[in-house]
Amino acid sequence: MAKPIGKDVLGAVKKKTGKTITEKDINKLASGVKPSTMQSEAELKQLIKKVGAMAGVPVSDSLMKEIVSAVKKSGMNPNSMEQLMKMMLK
């Protein structure tokens, strides 16, 4: 069973974008994430684009590179969409 997404993250998305995203939306997206996703730059970029589109946050090429680099360096848990969303909202 997936770990519940923090209400603070969902609230931050709504506050920043004006768009309501449900935990169900995030879990649906997260269900396609595998450990290899965090290691493959192409798969990671696709995931970032999907998260950005869902949240209504434009992701520039420079921001994309920055997020990919940060995720690879951090060894982020592939099951934690919450971490990725927090990183994108900074």
Side-chain angles (χ1 to χ4, degrees):
M1 183 171 195
K3 177 185 170 228
I5 302 297
K7 293 197 183 299
D8 60 322
V9 173
L10 298 176
V13 170
K14 184 172 184 174
K15 183 178 178 182
K16 183 143 186 139
T17 67
K19 186 172 180 180
T20 301
I21 295 176
T22 65
E23 187 172 340
K24 183 179 176 183
D25 294 333
I26 294 171
N27 286 334
K28 182 178 176 183
L29 181 61
S31 68
V33 177
K34 306 174 292 279
S36 63
T37 302
M38 297 301 172
Q39 299 306 313
S40 165
E41 191 166 325
E43 287 182 44
L44 191 52
K45 285 181 176 182
Q46 282 297 103
L47 176 62
I48 293 166
K49 286 178 186 177
K50 288 178 184 177
V51 171
M54 181 184 0
V57 175
V59 182
S60 66
D61 287 341
S62 61
L63 179 58
M64 178 77 69
K65 287 178 186 177
E66 198 175 308
I67 294 170
V68 168
S69 175
V71 168
K72 286 189 167 195
K73 284 179 186 174
S74 73
M76 183 185 291
N77 180 345
N79 297 318
S80 182
M81 290 297 292
E82 186 169 355
Q83 282 181 298
L84 182 60
M85 293 191 75
K86 281 181 180 178
M87 189 178 296
M88 290 183 70
L89 292 172
K90 286 185 179 175

